Amino acid sequence: MTTAQQAPDILSPAFAADPYASYRVMREQYPLIWHEGMQSYIVSRYADVEKAFKDPVFTSDNYDWQLEPVHGRTILQMGGREHSVRRALVAPAFRGKELQEKFLPVIERNARELIEAFAADGSADLVAQFATWFPINVIVDMLGLPREDHARFHGWYTSIIGFLGNLTQDPEVTAAGLRTREELAAYMIPVIQERRANPGDDLLSALCTAEIDGTTMSDEDIKAFVSLLLAAGGETTDKAIAGVFRNLLANPDQLAAVRADRELVPAAFAETLRFTPPVHMIMRQPSADVELSGGTVAAGKTVTCLIGSANRDGERYADADRFDVFRQDLTTANAFSAAADHLAFALGRHFCVGALLAKAEIEVGVNQLLDALPDLALAEGETAEEQGLFTRGPASLRVTFTPKG
């Protein structure tokens, strides 16, 4: 008879060091945990997290206190027609012809410039020198903002991510996030007003002029969306591109396969989203009592959905703790749509609006790095350990390669 282990504490140092071992215990023995410090239920099985994302009884009302202090009111806090109209206003820029023709060149240019800065060195930290800068630089350029402000936006991005992942409520991290909201508003509102008067061919102008059935976005709506875009658009791509290379470098046979057949790049991204997702937890709030594995959650209580655990659920995936770009139970063709069979982008009405932008960035970034660094390898002593709770990824990814002549 197996003795039950103590229920893991997701705020403990042991959990931070290796959440995957704790996730296994939670799925098997404690699928529903009440965490007093967080005032939240925690669910870890794929079926329960999927239900929390898709069942209409679950709302995003928790975002009022979780996100609004740093972002303002965004589409994530909205429901019903308000949400559907706001989503329809912003979505066209992140898919189809608009993305391919207008913004793909921006993505390609930023990847190329970052790689050129270290390609002749023979070594680099792909996190510090590429991954954390790449998506933020792309977003700034898509918005049509000055390129000399890349570093300023990178600082705001770092502060916002710190605020959102501040589960222990460090007062300094909280204060920095609140300052960022004020600083970003002071920067963006005058730019938004100028762009309304003189629209150009950029994302910010598109947001200023978008209209559906007489509904437009206010200055505050647009500023809040820019803040959200920095966090959601930056964090997914930042940690995902580092994760792709960490996972491939740990599996040299799969790295060789992807290098030889670039059609496998989307599969490597999809499997990374499942195996080591950038966002490990998302919160929801039921509007009525709801049954989940392990018991009942009362209406109005917060539910913390552990994406990082659900995506390793052995009831859903074969050999779930193994990274495999050739996996048969993960459909790459659907991996970046609302029909995805992983949970890294959520599901349902709040499925990530920027999923296709992330896909484009990853494909460009991975392909350009593989082209420029043909004999890429981990630097001696590099462990590429992950860090983070709310979001998680390699803290560094030091690599070596033959310098580009």
Side-chain angles (χ1 to χ4, degrees):
M1 180 176 178
T2 302
T3 302
Q5 300 182 43
Q6 183 177 355
D9 178 3
I10 70 172
L11 298 186
S12 69
F15 183 90
D18 179 16
Y20 301 105
S22 295
Y23 290 155
R24 191 177 306 112
V25 174
M26 296 166 82
R27 288 192 305 269
E28 294 174 357
Q29 301 180 28
Y30 303 98
L32 184 66
I33 299 173
W34 171 253
H35 194 288
E36 186 65 27
M38 293 176 59
Q39 288 292 293
S40 173
Y41 284 98
I42 301 170
V43 295
S44 50
R45 292 179 177 173
Y46 188 99
D48 292 325
V49 176
E50 180 183 40
K51 181 175 183 176
F53 288 161
K54 296 175 72 173
D55 192 322
V57 74
F58 284 92
T59 74
S60 58
D61 290 349
N62 55 284
Y63 284 150
D64 291 346
W65 58 263
Q66 188 183 6
L67 301 186
E68 193 153 343
V70 70
H71 287 317
R73 184 168 170 76
T74 73
I75 58 174
L76 295 183
Q77 291 104 291
M78 300 174 186
R81 185 179 184 279
E82 182 185 27
H83 172 265
S84 61
V85 170
R86 290 299 190 283
R87 187 180 178 95
L89 286 169
V90 302
F94 299 97
R95 64 188 184 211
K97 183 178 180 181
E98 188 83 359
L99 176 59
Q100 289 297 316
E101 295 186 1
K102 184 180 293 186
F103 298 128
L104 188 58
V106 173
I107 297 169
E108 292 171 339
R109 181 185 70 232
N110 276 287
R112 184 173 59 253
E113 290 174 350
L114 286 168
I115 294 168
E116 286 174 350
F118 60 75
D121 296 342
S123 65
D125 182 342
L126 292 186
V127 172
Q129 293 174 259
F130 187 85
T132 64
W133 288 92
F134 178 42
I136 302 307
N137 292 1
V138 167
I139 289 168
V140 172
D141 289 1
M142 287 176 65
L143 291 167
L145 300 172
R147 305 196 79 209
E148 56 266 28
D149 288 337
H150 281 171
R152 180 184 295 191
F153 275 88
H154 186 270
W156 285 333
Y157 159 68
T158 302
S159 178
I160 292 169
I161 292 302
F163 180 95
L164 296 176
N166 187 24
L167 299 182
T168 59
Q169 296 300 301
D170 183 317
E172 292 186 6
V173 174
T174 299
L178 297 177
R179 281 197 306 273
T180 290
R181 175 174 174 171
E182 296 176 0
E183 292 171 4
L184 186 61
Y187 178 103
M188 286 303 307
I189 296 298
V191 178
I192 292 167
Q193 293 172 345
E194 190 280 331
R195 209 63 58 91
R196 285 193 192 280
N198 301 288
D201 190 29
D202 54 72
L203 175 58
L204 190 58
S205 295
L207 297 174
C208 288
T209 57
E211 179 179 343
I212 293 179
D213 297 334
T215 299
T216 59
M217 297 177 72
S218 69
D219 292 355
E220 176 60 28
D221 288 339
I222 296 172
K223 186 276 299 178
F225 182 75
V226 169
S227 181
L228 176 64
L229 185 59
L230 285 174
E235 190 74 347
T236 301
T237 305
D238 171 353
K239 289 183 165 51
I241 200 163
V244 167
F245 277 98
R246 176 185 182 272
N247 293 332
L248 290 175
L249 287 163
N251 297 274
D253 57 329
Q254 297 188 54
L255 174 58
V258 172
R259 186 183 292 281
D261 179 5
R262 301 303 177 83
E263 295 297 319
L264 289 173
V265 170
F269 180 29
E271 176 66 345
T272 292
L273 289 172
R274 184 201 69 81
F275 185 68
T276 50
V279 179
H280 270 234
M281 56 188 74
I282 289 179
M283 295 177 180
R284 289 290 187 264
Q285 186 173 310
S287 58
D289 294 358
V290 62
E291 289 292 324
L292 296 170
S293 299
T296 303
V297 174
K301 292 294 186 180
T302 300
V303 176
T304 299
C305 306
L306 297 183
I307 295 171
S309 173
N311 278 351
R312 296 279 192 106
D313 192 336
E315 295 296 315
R316 175 62 183 80
Y317 302 102
D319 203 1
D321 288 322
R322 182 169 66 91
F323 179 82
D324 182 8
V325 298
F326 302 104
R327 179 173 293 280
Q328 296 299 303
D329 48 13
L330 185 67
T331 311
T332 302
N334 296 334
F336 314 102
S337 73
D341 44 16
H342 64 82
L343 302 173
F345 285 133
L347 292 172
R349 63 188 180 279
H350 286 293
F351 178 81
C352 178
V353 71
L356 290 178
L357 171 62
K359 178 177 183 287
E361 290 174 316
I362 294 297
E363 291 182 0
V364 168
V366 170
N367 277 299
Q368 287 200 20
L369 284 164
L370 290 175
D371 288 341
L373 316 176
D375 55 352
L376 184 69
L378 281 177
E380 185 176 353
E382 177 61 270
T383 58
E385 292 181 359
E386 292 183 339
Q387 289 184 0
L389 294 174
F390 180 75
T391 61
R392 189 171 178 87
S396 69
L397 193 60
R398 294 182 299 109
V399 296
T400 59
F401 47 87
T402 299
K404 186 176 181 180

